[in-house]
Amino acid sequence: MPGLAVDPDMTASLAALASSPPLQAGLLASQAGQLLVALVAVALVIIVGKFVLKLAWRLVTIGIVLVAAFFLLSTLGLI
C-alpha cells in the first residue's frame, strides 16, 4: 500500500504488550481475577457447546428417521 508508514514501536510483540504495567495491574494481577477470567471462559465454552450439541442432536435425529425410512422401504421391496 503506498503511503503506509509503520513506526518502529508499532511492531512490538504481543508478549511485550501483555507485560506492560497497565495490564499487570488489571484483572489478571490477582489469583481471584485469573480464576474469574477462567470461569467466564469455561462458561462461554459451555454456552457455545450447548448450541452446537442442540444442532448436532437435531441432525442425528433427522438422520435416524431418514435411515429408518430407507431401511423400511428397502425391506418392503419398494426401493
Side-chain angles (χ1 to χ4, degrees):
M1 300 175 114
L4 180 65
V6 177
D7 291 332
D9 58 327
M10 291 176 68
T11 60
S13 68
L14 288 177
L17 291 174
S19 63
S20 65
L23 289 178
Q24 287 180 350
L27 187 62
L28 298 176
S30 67
Q31 288 183 350
Q34 292 173 356
L35 180 61
L36 177 63
V37 169
L39 288 174
V40 169
V42 169
L44 289 174
V45 168
I46 291 172
I47 289 170
V48 170
K50 179 182 172 183
F51 289 116
V52 170
L53 286 175
K54 187 176 181 181
L55 176 65
W57 181 250
R58 288 181 182 172
L59 291 175
V60 168
T61 305
I62 291 169
I64 289 171
V65 170
L66 291 176
V67 170
F70 178 75
F71 175 74
L72 193 65
L73 290 174
S74 64
T75 303
L76 295 174
L78 298 175
I79 294 181

